[in-house]
């Protein structure tokens, strides 16, 4: 969530199937401070090319129900 909010976006929509998720996400949003460029780069490098491709494949056909 911090990575997404650190991008030039106006909002971040997150699925929250349980009340605990909503409470946790609200706490994170209240504590949010944009990540530094170094933090953003480090997070983006954590995913290997293989995992990025798998994530892309998952979301290419994903439908929220």
């Amino acid at each position: 969530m911090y990575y997404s909010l650190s991008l030039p976006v106006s909002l971040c929509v997150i699925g929250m199937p349980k009340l605990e998720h909503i409470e946790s996400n609200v706490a994170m949003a209240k504590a949010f401070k944009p990540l530094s460029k170094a933090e953003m780069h480090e997070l983006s490098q954590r995913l290997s090319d293989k995992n990025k491709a798998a994530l892309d494949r998952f979301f290419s056909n994903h439908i929220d129900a």
Side-chain angles (χ1 to χ4, degrees), residues 43-63:
L43 283 173
S44 70
Q45 295 303 309
R46 280 191 192 173
L47 288 176
S48 69
D49 289 338
K50 177 182 169 185
N51 289 335
K52 287 179 184 178
L55 192 61
D56 287 344
R57 279 192 306 277
F58 173 79
F59 282 113
S60 69
N61 296 311
H62 179 73
I63 300 173

Side-chain angles (χ1 to χ4, degrees), residues 1-12 14 24-36 39-40 43:
M1 188 162 125
Y2 286 166
Y3 183 89
S4 296
L5 288 172
S6 293
L7 296 170
V9 296
S10 57
L11 64 102
C12 179
I14 301 169
S24 173
N25 288 339
V26 167
M28 288 177 68
K30 285 181 177 180
F32 172 72
K33 290 183 178 62
L35 299 176
S36 69
E39 290 170 311
M40 295 286 287
L43 283 173

